Amino acid sequence: MAPQLEPFFKQVDELSNSFIDRLRKAVAIPSISAQDENRKDVFKMAQFLADELEGLGAEVEQRPLGKQPGKEHLDLPPVVIARYGNDKNKRTILVYGHYDVQPALKEDGWATEPFELTVDEQGRMFGRGSTDDKGPVLGWLNVIEAHKKAGVELPINLLCCFEGMEEYGSEGLEEFIQAESKKFFKDADAVCISDNYWLGTEKPCLTYGLRGCNYYSISVSGPAQDLHSGVFGGSAHEPMTDLVNVLSKLVDPQGNILIPGLMDLVAPLSEEEKTLYSNISYTMDNLHESLGSETGIHATKERTLMARWRYPSLSIHGIEGAYSAPGAKTVIPAKVIGKFSIRTVPNMESEDVNRLVFEHVKAEFAKLNSKNALDVWLQHDGKWWVASPKHWNFTAASKAVKQVFGVEPDMTREGGSIPVTLSFEQATGKNVLLLPMGSSTDAAHSVNEKLDKRNYIEGTKLLGAYLHYVAEEPAI
Amino acid sequence: MAPQLEPFFKQVDELSNSFIDRLRKAVAIPSISAQDENRKDVFKMAQFLADELEGLGAEVEQRPLGKQPGKEHLDLPPVVIARYGNDKNKRTILVYGHYDVQPALKEDGWATEPFELTVDEQGRMFGRGSTDDKGPVLGWLNVIEAHKKAGVELPINLLCCFEGMEEYGSEGLEEFIQAESKKFFKDADAVCISDNYWLGTEKPCLTYGLRGCNYYSISVSGPAQDLHSGVFGGSAHEPMTDLVNVLSKLVDPQGNILIPGLMDLVAPLSEEEKTLYSNISYTMDNLHESLGSETGIHATKERTLMARWRYPSLSIHGIEGAYSAPGAKTVIPAKVIGKFSIRTVPNMESEDVNRLVFEHVKAEFAKLNSKNALDVWLQHDGKWWVASPKHWNFTAASKAVKQVFGVEPDMTREGGSIPVTLSFEQATGKNVLLLPMGSSTDAAHSVNEKLDKRNYIEGTKLLGAYLHYVAEEPAI
């Protein structure tokens, strides 16, 4: 039975201008976590959120995370945690978002002032943080307010966890989540994160998987200092020659990873999974539009989505220590460091991937018969994540999408990583759902970031409806 | 018959402190051509040279070269030209040197003030420009002074050409040399350039060959902007993957150039030439010392010297547009430009080399079946140069070395290029000799640049003795 959502929906529509004002106030605070001089603004933004939540009747705390590692003159911004409702007979949903933003300067190419929310005739609300992630965070506050004003009881208990360092590596958050797993987070029955985007612009999606990332460095060194290529060219082994050779043995131009054994770690494609991709609202034109070129590898959207979501990929990012400026320099670099990463998928375990990478790189270097020295190491890794999309958490969200937008959502995975997803899953042991509010054209991290008014207002309805369906879904 | 050199040599010894003072004054003028703020010092150094030459009785002109291309607020430093002697019955020798220097800051790691000549107990005279190239330039002035004071007539007419932009690409010089080929330079019977170094520290050398250099760029481009490797990895052709593949097909780790047909352009090694290398005063230890490692390719000094002097080499210098900083960034660069150069030797013509390079690069890229776009072009080229070491210009210098140092000089070539060499040869049509004054440990362009007192004083004798043998050598 569908919950009675009309009074809530009606209230959201009536409050829509006030919700946009709330977003305007939030965007006006330049809470840039990467810039020291804006740290006070990040704290100001935390206070703004805490005040708003308290005003709505939530129990709020600003939890300090200590000094910033490596920049001990700076305090890390607090995690704003809040509880709204404490009814043992209701499910408890933990929601996550972040209140810090990427840097932005008008002169970077913004058409409007980045920290002034500017709404155009098409309902596009431009401003840094509008879609990433202040809009979605405020969506939860809007849900509470609309329920209160409509006189509708929130059908679940809501736990909020809003951090202020997401755009700078979520410093301190992992430890906080672990520490609170049996305390503040202990009642959570499921987790919902709204910090990604629809695949396109029309159809909402629910995201149930992310790839992991293992990032490697390969160094090759020989001479004690950079050499002049006129004097030494032809008489000394050149580290760049060796490195370029080894890098050329990692992946072919069709994206096939050349590391023996690596593809054996990948979960086989089942017949059932195969059918999922054709229904996704995505076209090759969408790919070409986002690339700005027709340089996609695969001929079909199905194979393209699989390449992005469920197969690993290997990208060579660059070389440190070689000549990288415009112009010409006749240098033989003494030591060069190649950087590449592998996007990982089920069932690739990081240790297995590392072993295969190290063996292959060393074997390929040995074939070169060079007197230079090679080293290869892991810079960092982050595990892939795949949730069960049949869990009631997803079923509830799916019904909410149908109710608000009139369509079945795309069930998607993503090629990139959102590390906090895995942190919450591991700390709580509960199902995690990614429920995006913004669309593919929102330009998060770029100039002219925006959130469409429709996505914000209907998105607020979606978050509220989701909570109602959560309250009704049978456990499976 | 050996010329009577004793009075000249004796005078050089008597004037040695005054010659060192002359070098001290010159080093004190920071005539750094690459730094705008030092342009006035470059002019000051030109004036210093002109005054000294006039004081010795030479006819001197400072010839302006106009504004500096791309920096039109700066005047190019003048070419200081001078004539000493105008006797139709004598040979005329044109000597070249440069009076500008590389940048230097104490904090770069200098043990002494770079613009204060500092002589240590071993007779090492530290200072920027001491060996490159103020010492050799002043050597010619010392020769004139010692002859005058000894009452010995200079046996040849001397033409000087001293430039002030050598360390910044010799802007304007090529055109000047061409323009003066039938004017100021028209009487020259041979050319002598003292702006390179002995192969080691004990034995002088005469240099009769230089490699050329063809510098190339390969660009690979695909998407319209840099991509996130999580989102697009596996679904788009990556320019870095393609570029690394193409670069790996240029040269193998043993220095063998893989471009079909290129080695066919190289002049074959004759039996006579083969014998030249074993007599050269050079060891594998010298190579290892200068590399700071034992990463030489070849097992013998002969093969090492051939690789450096008479065979081409290919070096990969770096990649523009990729991630080159320390740390980790998960970018797929949209456009990357690989830089490499080929050191050329007889009989490689630049157009032939270009054609083979372009064909090979395009053929290797075609094999990749990538949808990205590749371009390859020549950034610049400079031709190799080989003079006849049997010309009287070399014979005279060889006898002078034997007279002053008691040894036969090494007859050497160099792996790098000194473009002015070829300019003088082409403009005058006369034999060009490279007659170095400094030794292999002088650290030109580096911190703690020095010229040994022995090299400066005995070097002055060598330059003078060379002129006397020039006057006596029969033409061949």
Side-chain angles (χ1 to χ4, degrees):
Chain A
M1 188 195 87
Q4 295 307 305
L5 290 162
E6 286 71 20
F8 163 64
F9 287 174
K10 190 159 170 283
Q11 193 66 52
V12 170
D13 286 328
E14 282 172 14
L15 289 171
S16 61
N17 284 335
S18 136
F19 292 164
I20 292 168
D21 275 343
R22 177 174 276 142
L23 183 58
R24 181 172 289 114
K25 286 179 200 161
V27 165
I29 303 170
S31 53
I32 304 164
S33 49
Q35 295 176 182
D36 294 8
E37 63 272 26
N38 291 104
R39 186 56 52 90
K40 64 180 190 314
D41 299 307
V42 188
F43 274 86
K44 189 176 164 191
M45 183 65 206
Q47 189 63 47
F48 171 82
L49 270 185
D51 289 346
E52 293 280 303
L53 282 159
E54 273 173 9
L56 294 168
E59 302 162 40
V60 187
E61 287 181 70
Q62 295 187 50
R63 300 285 284 269
L65 294 179
K67 300 289 180 189
Q68 182 166 335
K71 288 192 174 182
E72 277 73 13
H73 59 291
L74 290 177
D75 285 311
L76 287 168
V79 181
V80 177
I81 57 174
R83 170 182 278 278
Y84 189 83
N86 201 352
D87 183 340
K88 297 288 179 206
N89 297 316
K90 293 178 179 172
R91 279 180 170 153
T92 298
I93 296 296
L94 167 60
V95 302
Y96 162 89
H98 64 91
Y99 60 83
D100 63 321
V101 298
Q102 284 277 316
L105 291 170
K106 179 85 157 60
E107 50 264 42
D108 292 341
W110 282 73
T112 61
E113 286 296 334
F115 295 102
E116 286 178 18
L117 193 77
T118 310
V119 189
D120 74 2
E121 287 178 1
Q122 298 169 54
R124 297 182 298 184
M125 305 188 293
F126 293 96
R128 174 57 88 218
S130 54
T131 195
D132 182 19
D133 186 39
K134 288 178 174 176
V137 163
L138 298 186
W140 297 112
L141 276 61
N142 298 343
V143 164
I144 298 173
E145 184 178 357
H147 275 84
K148 282 176 69 105
K149 294 206 168 148
V152 179
E153 192 182 328
L154 210 62
I156 51 90
N157 304 309
L158 193 67
L159 297 178
C160 299
C161 176
F162 299 140
E163 71 153 321
M165 281 296 275
E166 199 271 347
E167 302 294 3
Y168 203 72
S170 290
E171 296 264 22
L173 188 71
E174 172 79 29
E175 298 74 12
F176 177 83
I177 293 173
Q178 289 299 329
E180 294 295 326
S181 61
K182 299 297 171 219
K183 297 182 207 167
F184 181 72
F185 300 144
K186 78 174 191 309
D187 296 336
D189 293 302
V191 181
C192 178
I193 297 176
S194 188
D195 189 23
N196 63 321
Y197 305 91
W198 298 357
L199 203 53
T201 56
E202 290 307 312
K203 197 173 165 194
C205 67
L206 310 182
T207 304
Y208 67 97
L210 299 166
R211 293 197 289 189
C213 183
N214 280 28
Y215 200 106
Y216 299 96
S217 294
I218 302 176
S219 72
V220 181
S221 55
Q225 67 289 320
D226 287 357
L227 303 175
H228 187 288
S229 68
V231 180
F232 293 99
S235 63
H237 291 286
E238 300 191 13
M240 261 304 265
T241 304
D242 297 351
L243 179 63
V244 158
N245 257 281
V246 171
L247 291 176
S248 77
K249 304 293 168 44
L250 298 174
V251 61
D252 76 16
Q254 276 60 48
N256 299 303
I257 297 176
L258 304 175
I259 299 164
L262 197 98
M263 294 306 290
D264 300 339
L265 304 175
V266 177
L269 179 67
S270 69
E271 286 304 314
E272 186 193 354
E273 187 194 332
K274 215 183 271 186
T275 64
L276 296 178
Y277 299 97
S278 51
N279 292 327
I280 302 290
S281 165
Y282 189 75
T283 66
M284 291 306 287
D285 283 344
N286 292 150
L287 175 67
H288 297 155
E289 192 181 348
S290 54
L291 291 176
S293 66
E294 300 201 358
T295 55
I297 292 176
H298 308 289
T300 65
K301 82 165 187 189
E302 288 80 2
R303 191 62 192 77
T304 297
L305 291 173
M306 283 190 247
R308 182 182 291 192
W309 295 350
R310 67 101 57 223
Y311 284 117
S313 62
L314 191 154
S315 296
I316 302 168
H317 306 298
I319 295 175
E320 180 186 340
Y323 177 61
S324 60
K329 188 178 175 188
T330 54
V331 65
I332 298 175
K335 180 178 181 177
V336 285
I337 304 175
K339 317 276 179 81
F340 70 98
S341 67
I342 298 175
R343 295 286 165 173
T344 58
V345 296
N347 299 314
M348 300 167 76
E349 294 297 329
S350 185
E351 310 78 58
D352 297 331
V353 175
N354 294 345
R355 183 175 45 77
L356 294 173
V357 166
F358 298 160
E359 282 175 9
H360 177 64
V361 166
K362 288 173 183 169
E364 288 298 328
F365 180 67
K367 287 183 196 169
L368 302 182
N369 282 316
S370 169
K371 292 176 188 155
N372 291 324
L374 171 138
D375 197 8
V376 52
W377 66 95
L378 179 77
Q379 271 209 46
H380 61 70
D381 60 352
K383 197 172 155 62
W384 44 265
W385 163 79
V386 178
S388 166
K390 295 181 178 168
H391 189 276
W392 55 258
N393 198 26
F394 280 82
T395 318
S398 183
K399 288 180 178 173
V401 168
K402 179 88 193 201
Q403 175 77 34
V404 175
F405 290 91
V407 293
E408 297 285 342
D410 281 333
M411 300 300 289
T412 68
R413 288 159 70 167
E414 288 203 359
S417 55
I418 306 176
V420 71
T421 311
L422 199 66
S423 302
F424 277 117
E425 182 184 275
Q426 291 174 338
T428 65
K430 298 297 160 67
N431 182 279
V432 181
L433 157 73
L434 302 188
L435 180 59
M437 175 181 274
S439 83
S440 66
T441 56
D442 282 358
H445 291 212
S446 185
V447 295
N448 302 320
E449 175 181 347
K450 60 91 178 164
L451 176 64
D452 290 345
K453 192 173 156 184
R454 170 187 181 233
N455 286 60
Y456 184 52
I457 300 303
E458 300 306 303
T460 292
K461 290 179 189 169
L462 172 63
L463 299 181
Y466 154 71
L467 299 179
H468 282 272
Y469 283 103
V470 157
E472 294 200 346
E473 278 300 302
I476 56 160
Chain B
M1 187 194 87
Q4 295 307 306
L5 291 161
E6 287 71 20
F8 164 63
F9 287 174
K10 189 159 171 284
Q11 193 66 51
V12 171
D13 285 330
E14 281 172 17
L15 289 170
S16 62
N17 284 337
S18 135
F19 291 163
I20 292 168
D21 275 341
R22 177 175 277 143
L23 183 59
R24 180 173 288 112
K25 286 178 202 160
V27 165
I29 303 170
S31 52
I32 303 164
S33 50
Q35 294 176 183
D36 295 7
E37 63 271 28
N38 291 103
R39 185 55 52 89
K40 63 180 190 314
D41 299 307
V42 187
F43 275 85
K44 190 175 164 190
M45 184 64 205
Q47 189 63 48
F48 171 81
L49 270 185
D51 290 346
E52 292 281 305
L53 281 160
E54 272 172 11
L56 294 169
E59 301 161 42
V60 186
E61 286 181 71
Q62 295 188 48
R63 300 284 284 269
L65 295 179
K67 300 289 180 188
Q68 182 166 335
K71 286 191 175 184
E72 278 72 15
H73 59 291
L74 289 178
D75 285 312
L76 287 169
V79 181
V80 178
I81 57 173
R83 169 182 279 279
Y84 189 83
N86 201 351
D87 183 338
K88 296 290 179 204
N89 297 315
K90 293 177 179 173
R91 279 181 169 150
T92 299
I93 296 297
L94 167 61
V95 303
Y96 161 89
H98 65 90
Y99 62 83
D100 63 318
V101 299
Q102 284 276 317
L105 290 171
K106 179 83 158 60
E107 50 265 39
D108 292 341
W110 283 74
T112 60
E113 287 296 334
F115 295 102
E116 287 178 19
L117 192 77
T118 309
V119 188
D120 74 2
E121 288 178 359
Q122 298 170 54
R124 296 182 299 185
M125 305 189 293
F126 292 95
R128 175 56 87 220
S130 55
T131 195
D132 182 18
D133 186 37
K134 289 178 175 177
V137 163
L138 298 186
W140 297 111
L141 276 61
N142 297 343
V143 165
I144 298 174
E145 184 178 358
H147 276 83
K148 282 174 69 105
K149 294 204 169 148
V152 179
E153 191 183 326
L154 210 62
I156 52 89
N157 304 309
L158 194 67
L159 297 179
C160 299
C161 175
F162 299 140
E163 71 153 322
M165 280 298 274
E166 198 273 346
E167 303 292 4
Y168 203 72
S170 291
E171 295 264 22
L173 188 69
E174 173 78 27
E175 297 75 12
F176 178 81
I177 293 173
Q178 290 299 330
E180 295 295 325
S181 62
K182 300 297 171 219
K183 297 184 209 165
F184 182 72
F185 300 143
K186 78 173 190 309
D187 296 336
D189 294 301
V191 181
C192 179
I193 297 176
S194 189
D195 188 24
N196 65 318
Y197 306 93
W198 299 357
L199 203 53
T201 56
E202 291 307 313
K203 196 172 167 195
C205 66
L206 309 183
T207 305
Y208 66 98
L210 298 167
R211 293 197 291 188
C213 184
N214 280 28
Y215 201 106
Y216 299 96
S217 293
I218 301 175
S219 73
V220 182
S221 56
Q225 67 289 320
D226 287 358
L227 302 174
H228 187 288
S229 69
V231 179
F232 292 100
S235 63
H237 291 286
E238 302 192 12
M240 261 304 264
T241 304
D242 297 350
L243 179 63
V244 156
N245 258 281
V246 172
L247 291 176
S248 77
K249 303 293 167 44
L250 299 174
V251 60
D252 76 15
Q254 275 60 47
N256 300 303
I257 297 176
L258 304 175
I259 298 164
L262 198 98
M263 295 306 289
D264 299 338
L265 303 177
V266 177
L269 179 68
S270 68
E271 285 305 314
E272 186 194 354
E273 187 195 331
K274 214 183 270 184
T275 63
L276 295 178
Y277 299 98
S278 51
N279 292 327
I280 303 289
S281 166
Y282 189 75
T283 66
M284 292 306 286
D285 283 345
N286 291 149
L287 175 69
H288 297 154
E289 193 181 345
S290 54
L291 290 177
S293 68
E294 302 200 356
T295 55
I297 292 175
H298 307 289
T300 65
K301 81 166 186 187
E302 288 81 1
R303 191 62 191 77
T304 297
L305 290 173
M306 283 189 250
R308 183 181 290 192
W309 295 349
R310 68 102 55 224
Y311 284 118
S313 62
L314 191 155
S315 296
I316 302 168
H317 306 297
I319 295 173
E320 180 185 340
Y323 177 61
S324 60
K329 187 178 175 187
T330 53
V331 66
I332 298 175
K335 179 179 182 176
V336 286
I337 304 175
K339 316 278 180 81
F340 71 98
S341 66
I342 299 175
R343 296 285 165 174
T344 57
V345 296
N347 300 314
M348 300 167 77
E349 294 297 328
S350 184
E351 309 77 60
D352 296 332
V353 175
N354 294 344
R355 182 175 45 79
L356 294 173
V357 166
F358 298 161
E359 281 175 9
H360 178 64
V361 165
K362 287 173 184 169
E364 288 297 330
F365 179 67
K367 287 183 195 168
L368 302 182
N369 282 316
S370 169
K371 292 176 189 156
N372 290 324
L374 171 136
D375 197 9
V376 53
W377 66 96
L378 178 77
Q379 272 208 45
H380 62 70
D381 59 352
K383 196 173 155 62
W384 45 265
W385 163 79
V386 178
S388 165
K390 294 180 180 167
H391 189 276
W392 56 257
N393 199 25
F394 280 83
T395 319
S398 182
K399 288 180 178 172
V401 168
K402 180 87 194 204
Q403 175 77 32
V404 175
F405 290 91
V407 292
E408 297 286 343
D410 281 333
M411 299 302 287
T412 68
R413 288 160 69 168
E414 288 205 357
S417 55
I418 306 176
V420 72
T421 311
L422 199 66
S423 302
F424 277 118
E425 183 183 275
Q426 291 175 337
T428 65
K430 300 297 160 67
N431 181 278
V432 181
L433 158 73
L434 302 188
L435 179 58
M437 175 181 274
S439 83
S440 66
T441 56
D442 282 358
H445 291 213
S446 185
V447 295
N448 302 320
E449 176 183 346
K450 59 91 177 163
L451 176 64
D452 290 344
K453 193 173 155 181
R454 169 185 181 237
N455 286 61
Y456 184 52
I457 300 303
E458 300 305 302
T460 292
K461 291 180 189 170
L462 173 63
L463 298 181
Y466 155 69
L467 298 180
H468 282 271
Y469 282 103
V470 157
E472 295 200 346
E473 278 298 304
I476 56 161

